[in-house]
Amino acid sequence: LGLFEKRRMINFLMYLQAYDETKPATHKGRDLTRMTMRQLYDEYGLERGTREFVGHAMALQLNDSYMDLPALPTVKAIIMYCESVDRYGTSPYVYPMYGLGGLPEGFSRLCAVNGGTFMLNRSVDEVLFDESGKAWGIRGDKEVAKAKIFIGDPSYFTDYSKCKEIGKVVRSICFLNHPIPNTNDVDSLQIIIPSTQSNRKNDIYVVLISNSHKVTAPGKYVAICSTVVETAEPMRELAPALGLLGTIMTRFDDVVPLYAPLGDGKADNCYISKSFDATSHFETTSLDVLEMYERITGEKLDLDKIAAEAPEEEY
């Protein structure tokens, strides 16, 4: 940023960090439920590059449609980014040690403590429905498990007309023996290439993980590039991301469909998530989990309430 743009950016962030939805005095006469994000940017005179960074890298907006919507949701997202940087230090993001497999391991322990039963080494060969169309069991090999509700990703339900395809994602998993060039040799990072910088409708994402997360051998790195498919040549769409990585040891490419559930689960007892999309920051996945929780339980997830009610040694 240039000298004057830095000052404008600082003033913008100072306004956001002082903003309190419940205290009109901090609003400085602005109604962010009516003012668009574009208008808020204009008031501070922010340049295009700054807007792209703020909107896509801080607020994690997936495209520029947010610019002409009320500013408040984006402002809240930026405030959360800043608060996360303050909490975690050099980055607003956390990543599980030993990779994403650490998340289901954590769930399995908590589930077992609360009486959950696990059927190991079993595939889901068939979802069983009664005459009314409600699911009542699943078959794995020659065994059947019964339940009142069934929760799963679309891959378990695509054969039963429970999902619709909403697009495709192209991913390239790249093994490197060096950090990504021009990144100060950091051992983990996220790069977001805004759609407008590559003449696209959707952003391109890169995430780098390494031995610091216990997912690779020392000196080895995994970079995952992804985006939503827009053309008949998906791999060419990742060229801006792949060009950042330097020499690639081994690369695995894939194009997978994106699915979304057709129903909310109440009619057929099948509560289905969306497919894992192109983003590398997991915000859309987290929001999907929260939305599924509300569909299943009928109430929003209140983590503060759970923390308050849990015994200190458990929490």
Side-chain angles (χ1 to χ4, degrees), residues 107-303:
F107 167 79
S108 67
R109 290 191 291 270
L110 187 60
C111 180
V113 167
N114 286 275
T117 300
F118 291 84
M119 296 176 65
L120 303 179
N121 196 27
R122 289 289 182 274
S123 59
V124 177
D125 298 324
E126 183 182 9
V127 181
L128 305 172
F129 297 88
D130 62 21
E131 294 79 3
S132 65
K134 291 182 176 290
W136 62 268
I138 57 171
R139 182 180 62 81
D141 294 331
K142 296 181 180 180
E143 292 184 291
V144 171
K146 298 180 181 180
K148 295 180 180 179
I149 65 171
F150 299 83
I151 306 170
D153 69 60
S155 65
Y156 296 103
F157 300 96
T158 51
D159 293 338
Y160 306 99
S161 301
K162 301 293 183 184
C163 307
K164 62 180 178 180
E165 186 174 329
I166 57 174
K168 288 183 170 62
V169 169
V170 56
R171 286 192 184 88
S172 186
I173 301 174
C174 305
F175 288 78
L176 314 176
N177 59 4
H178 57 81
I180 294 179
N182 305 311
T183 60
N184 296 322
D185 293 340
V186 294
D187 52 17
S188 67
L189 57 76
Q190 177 177 231
I191 299 172
I192 299 176
I193 304 174
S195 55
T196 52
Q197 294 190 10
S198 51
N199 296 317
R200 293 174 47 80
K201 297 178 182 178
N202 297 278
D203 293 355
I204 304 173
Y205 301 89
V206 181
V207 63
L208 180 77
I209 49 180
S210 66
N211 182 254
S212 66
H213 310 92
K214 309 301 182 187
V215 297
T216 69
K220 299 296 186 292
Y221 302 79
V222 176
I224 304 172
C225 308
S226 56
T227 191
V228 175
V229 174
E230 297 180 4
T231 71
E233 299 181 274
M235 290 314 306
R236 293 189 63 178
E237 300 182 48
L238 287 181
L242 296 171
L244 300 174
L245 303 186
T247 303
I248 299 173
M249 297 170 57
T250 306
R251 180 174 133 192
F252 301 91
D253 304 324
D254 197 12
V255 177
V256 296
L258 282 173
Y259 292 103
L262 289 172
D264 60 8
K266 296 177 182 178
D268 54 14
N269 299 335
C270 297
Y271 293 87
I272 307 170
S273 70
K274 297 176 182 177
S275 298
F276 184 53
D277 64 16
T279 60
S280 55
H281 46 65
F282 309 121
E283 183 183 45
T284 52
T285 302
S286 300
L287 293 174
D288 189 30
V289 170
L290 293 174
E291 192 269 338
M292 285 185 67
Y293 181 92
E294 186 174 357
R295 277 195 281 142
I296 295 168
T297 66
E299 59 184 31
K300 293 183 180 294
L301 177 63
D302 187 343
L303 293 176

